Amino acid sequence: MQIFLDTANREEIARGVATGVVAGVTTNPTIISRENKPLVECVRAVLDVDPTLIVLVEVISDRAAGMVEEARKLAASSENIVVKIPMTAEGLAAVKCLRRDGIRTTVTLVFSVNQAIAASCAGASYVAPFVGRLDDINADGLRLVREIKALFKVQNAATGVLAASIRTPQSVADLFAAGCDIVTMPEKVLHAMFRHPLTDAGLRAFMEDWRKVPGGENAFAALHRKGQLAQCQS
Ligand code: E4P
């Protein structure tokens, strides 16, 4: 179970990484265009924040040969990069070729079970169903993910599911419960996952009560004094 951030913005990634729960980032041409800098600089900025992050970068060619060439360059530039290939017939041919090269791929823009089957048969490491874009048109993104997961299980498929196009924190919980390997989300959804009014109220009450503890303001400084706890225990 891994959480990715759906952004190429350095500040958003830094805030996400600081929470300790982000393992990677996903980009697409739209996300990259928002940063107003070349692709290479965007990737460098991500890895500057945390060199262990997995970075998903999409090819832009519409022909298999072009996709393969772009993917090889991306993969050679950093071992952290997983190449995103669009769900087209040309894309599937590229995935097959990249699989032979040992280059990891995520087939993106997946909106049906049959597309997921095709991507897995071609050798995709992951498929990325776009949950929110289906929900936007009154279809059922979660249902699609459940169907893909069930089918991959029956067929013992080696392809993972990376759920993309996420709109709400509830969707994150539902998608992990459905067995997604990775869910990628915008920053606001990530931070919404952490919040609960009862956590805020509980913490406020604890802090108010702590003021009643004798010596409470210096309690932790006292713990640091050498031997303090050892003396208590003996
Ligand atoms: C991720 O890689 C996808 O491209 C992204 O989640 C799409 O999200 P959107 O539907 O909000 O544009």
Side-chain angles (χ1 to χ4, degrees), residues 1 3-4 18 22-23 26-27 29 45 59 76 82 96 111 114 131 133 141 145 147 149 162-163 176 179 211 225:
M1 183 166 69
I3 288 175
F4 281 18
V22 174
T26 46
T27 71
V59 295
V82 174
K96 175 100 182 166
F111 293 97
N114 279 332
V131 175
R133 290 193 195 187
V145 167
E147 288 172 356
K149 280 302 300 184
L162 183 162
F176 277 128
R211 287 195 209 105
R225 276 184 224 127

Side-chain angles (χ1 to χ4, degrees), residues 203-226:
L203 188 56
R204 263 195 311 277
F206 285 160
M207 291 305 104
E208 276 160 26
D209 289 342
W210 186 253
R211 287 195 209 105
K212 301 170 198 161
V213 175
E217 64 282 5
N218 292 321
F220 293 95
L223 279 176
H224 284 299
R225 276 184 224 127
K226 199 164 185 277

Side-chain angles (χ1 to χ4, degrees), residues 139-163:
D140 191 340
L142 177 59
R143 182 174 165 185
L144 170 66
V145 167
R146 285 187 177 135
E147 288 172 356
I148 293 171
K149 280 302 300 184
L151 185 139
F152 281 3
K153 189 172 175 196
V154 166
Q155 294 295 334
N156 202 19
T159 306
V161 176
L162 183 162

Side-chain angles (χ1 to χ4, degrees), residues 157-196:
T159 306
V161 176
L162 183 162
S165 184
I166 303 305
R167 309 279 188 254
T168 67
Q170 182 59 49
S171 165
V172 176
D174 292 340
L175 289 161
F176 277 128
C180 283
D181 304 277
I182 302 170
V183 178
T184 186
M185 66 199 73
E187 185 186 32
K188 75 173 171 32
V189 173
L190 175 77
H191 290 280
M193 284 177 67
F194 307 152
R195 286 194 292 270
H196 196 287

Side-chain angles (χ1 to χ4, degrees), residues 15 85 108 229:
R15 286 192 292 267
I85 306 283
T108 188
L229 281 180

Side-chain angles (χ1 to χ4, degrees), residues 6 8 34 60 109 112 116 192 215 221:
D6 203 16
R34 290 188 196 124
I60 53 157
L109 290 164
S112 75

